[in-house]
Structure formats: C-alpha cells, structure tokens
Amino acid sequence: MIALITILIILGVILITAVLLFFLGNASIRIISQDQLRVLISVCGIRFTVYPSKKDQPQKPKNLARCRNPEAVLKRELRRQQRAAEKAARKKIRAAKRAAKRDEKKIGIPKKYCPVPNLKENLEMVLELAKKLVRKTRGKVKIRINELHIRVATNDAAHTALLYGVVIQLVSYLIGYVERHYTSIERHDGDLAVEPDYTTSDCSASIDLVFTAKIWRAVKIIIEMVDAYDQEKKRTYRKAALREREQKNNPPRFDLKNILTRIRKDHSLWKTNLLSRK
C-alpha cells in the first residue's frame, strides 16, 4: 500500500511539473547567420539543432601530431569510415527494395488526376499563409536581437555611401514598423549596427535573432498553421482545377480574319500618322 501511494505521489508530481512547464515554459527559435546559417530550437532550456543536420556539418580532421599513439587513432578512423560506408550501402539497398515494393503495389492502380497550380496560385497561397501567421503571432512572440551587424561595401566609395544611407533607413524603418504593429523587440546598445566599409567590395552581415513564445502558444500556433495550410492547399487545387476546366471548355482560338483586320487597321493608322507629319 505504501509503495502504491509513493508511486501515485511521484506520478502526480511529474504530471503537475509537466502541466506547469507546458503553460509557463518557453519555446524559442534562434537564427544565427555568420559563416553559415544555423537554426536552433530550445524548449525549457533544452536545445536542438534543426539546421544544419549532423550529416551536413563538416567533420574536423583529427590532428595526429598531438596524439600519443597516432597509428591506433588512424586505425580507428579507418574502421569508422569503413563502417560508415557499409551502413550507407545497406541503407541504399533497403531504399531500393522499398521503392521496388511500392512500384509493385502501384502496378494496375490508375493514378488519380491532380491539377497542377501555376506560379500565381502558389504565390497567393504563400501570401495567405504569411498573413495568417502574422495575425496569429502578433503580440504573442517576443523578439530579441543578440547581434545584427551589417557591413555595407561596394567597389566605389560614392556608391557605398549611398547604399549605406538606404540600408540604415530601411533597417530603422523595419524595426520601427515591427515594434509598432507586431511585437516588442529587445535589444541593447551595440547589438544593432550598420557600418560602411570603404576598404573592401563585399557586403557582409552577422545576425543572431531569438523568437520566444510560451510552449502552449507555440503548440496552438503550429496546430492552427497546419490546419490553415491544409485549407489553403485545397483552395489552391480547386482554383487550378477550375482554371484547367475553363481552358478546356474555352480554348484560345486562332482567328486569321481578325488578325488580318487588326493588321490593316494598324497599317492605315501608320499611314495617316505619316501623312500628317508630312
């Protein structure tokens, strides 16, 4: 009985802690762009690297000169590379088998027709999703600027000065607009800087931004955006189907008579304009 009560107390404490973390904990996305782009997600202080993945990260070569036994280190490295190559080969074989099974299942099954949206319809879908994301996150996400240093440079000093003025005005306008219409921005002196560089010809930027929200709000926003994506995707496919149906019902006609009459009218107008100039 005492053991059962102890287990229930432990489970109750764990459940209360999980509920408190869900409603009071923070989730954040950190975007770092210096030498390369990095995206980190942090939930209650636990960080996960979203981009780049471990496969994309270049591995630093080991310095064998500092090792006491370089031959053993070299053998271990060769074995590791051999195991990685064998694993990649096995993975490739499994993927080929799965693809063959899928192809066998698809034989004899007619493919369902799906309309293809054009560029305009895709852009409209992206714009609607961006508007919904801004509406759902307005005032609920905090932005912190850890570092935003932009260095403006061109081949010409005059062009550098002009571009520097444009960039600094654009950055100040964007930050003011976000603070007035979207959410507050936390920053300290020295975190934000736009500088001209008259000695080089390449522009550079060092960015470190953090977007923070409560965990329950982040989960709610993700669920709502997934639902909005499904709705917008269905609407886009409906638009594409209607467009293709209209094109089939009303194909563009090539009427030679109308084209010849237009050419005659343009020719007569050109003649009258030429005679009036004379």
Side-chain angles (χ1 to χ4, degrees):
M1 190 67 182
I2 296 174
L4 181 60
I5 293 172
T6 305
I7 293 172
L8 291 175
I9 290 171
I10 293 172
L11 291 176
V13 171
I14 293 172
L15 182 61
I16 292 170
T17 305
V19 170
L20 290 175
L21 288 175
F22 182 74
F23 286 101
L24 300 178
N26 291 329
S28 63
I29 298 176
R30 186 176 182 182
I31 299 173
I32 303 171
S33 176
Q34 293 173 351
D35 297 334
Q36 63 176 355
L37 179 64
R38 295 176 59 203
V39 181
L40 308 174
I41 291 179
S42 176
V43 180
C44 294
I46 304 172
R47 289 192 303 175
F48 306 94
T49 302
V50 179
Y51 182 85
S53 61
K54 291 183 179 179
K55 296 180 182 178
D56 298 334
Q57 291 179 358
Q59 294 183 355
K60 295 181 180 179
K62 294 183 179 180
N63 190 0
L64 299 179
R66 296 183 179 180
C67 298
R68 294 182 180 179
N69 192 356
E71 293 181 358
V73 175
L74 184 59
K75 288 180 181 179
R76 286 198 299 269
E77 183 65 21
L78 290 174
R79 285 197 298 270
R80 187 191 66 79
Q81 292 180 1
Q82 186 178 1
R83 287 195 299 269
E86 292 175 355
K87 186 177 179 181
R90 289 195 299 270
K91 189 175 180 181
K92 189 175 181 181
I93 292 170
R94 287 197 298 268
K97 288 181 179 178
R98 286 196 295 268
K101 287 182 180 179
R102 285 197 298 268
D103 293 339
E104 288 177 0
K105 290 180 181 178
K106 288 180 180 178
I107 292 174
I109 300 174
K111 291 185 178 180
K112 188 178 179 181
Y113 172 72
C114 184
V116 180
N118 57 16
L119 180 61
K120 180 185 175 184
E121 291 161 353
N122 286 324
L123 289 176
E124 288 177 353
M125 182 181 71
V126 172
L127 185 60
E128 288 296 326
L129 288 173
K131 288 179 181 178
K132 289 184 178 180
L133 180 63
V134 170
R135 285 199 302 269
K136 293 181 185 301
T137 57
R138 181 181 289 125
K140 301 174 183 176
V141 177
K142 295 179 181 178
I143 301 175
R144 186 172 76 250
I145 297 177
N146 291 335
E147 184 182 7
L148 182 57
H149 292 170
I150 301 173
R151 193 178 297 276
V152 181
T154 59
N155 293 323
D156 189 8
H159 292 168
T160 301
L162 291 173
L163 185 60
Y164 166 70
V166 172
V167 171
I168 195 169
Q169 290 293 331
L170 183 61
V171 170
S172 61
Y173 173 76
L174 285 175
I175 290 177
Y177 182 83
V178 170
E179 286 184 335
R180 286 193 305 271
H181 300 282
Y182 186 65
T183 186
S184 60
I185 297 177
E186 180 184 351
R187 66 182 186 275
H188 302 285
D189 294 337
D191 294 339
L192 177 61
V194 180
E195 300 173 351
D197 190 356
Y198 299 102
T199 59
T200 61
S201 60
D202 297 329
C203 297
S204 61
S206 180
I207 300 170
D208 188 355
L209 304 176
V210 182
F211 302 86
T212 307
K214 295 293 182 184
I215 294 176
W216 66 272
R217 282 181 175 169
V219 172
K220 183 182 176 183
I221 290 168
I222 291 171
I223 293 172
E224 290 177 350
M225 288 306 301
V226 169
D227 187 23
Y229 173 74
D230 291 337
Q231 293 177 2
E232 290 296 329
K233 189 176 179 181
K234 291 177 183 177
R235 190 178 292 113
T236 304
Y237 280 119
R238 283 198 297 269
K239 287 181 182 177
L242 288 172
R243 174 177 51 79
E244 291 182 0
R245 195 178 300 121
E246 288 178 358
Q247 288 178 356
K248 287 181 181 179
N249 296 333
N250 301 317
R253 296 180 179 178
F254 182 77
D255 195 350
L256 184 60
K257 188 176 180 180
N258 291 335
I259 293 173
L260 291 174
T261 52
R262 286 183 182 178
I263 291 172
R264 289 195 195 98
K265 285 182 181 179
D266 294 339
H267 185 65
S268 60
L269 287 172
W270 178 74
K271 268 188 174 182
T272 53
N273 291 330
L274 187 62
L275 291 172
S276 63
R277 285 179 185 174
K278 288 181 179 180

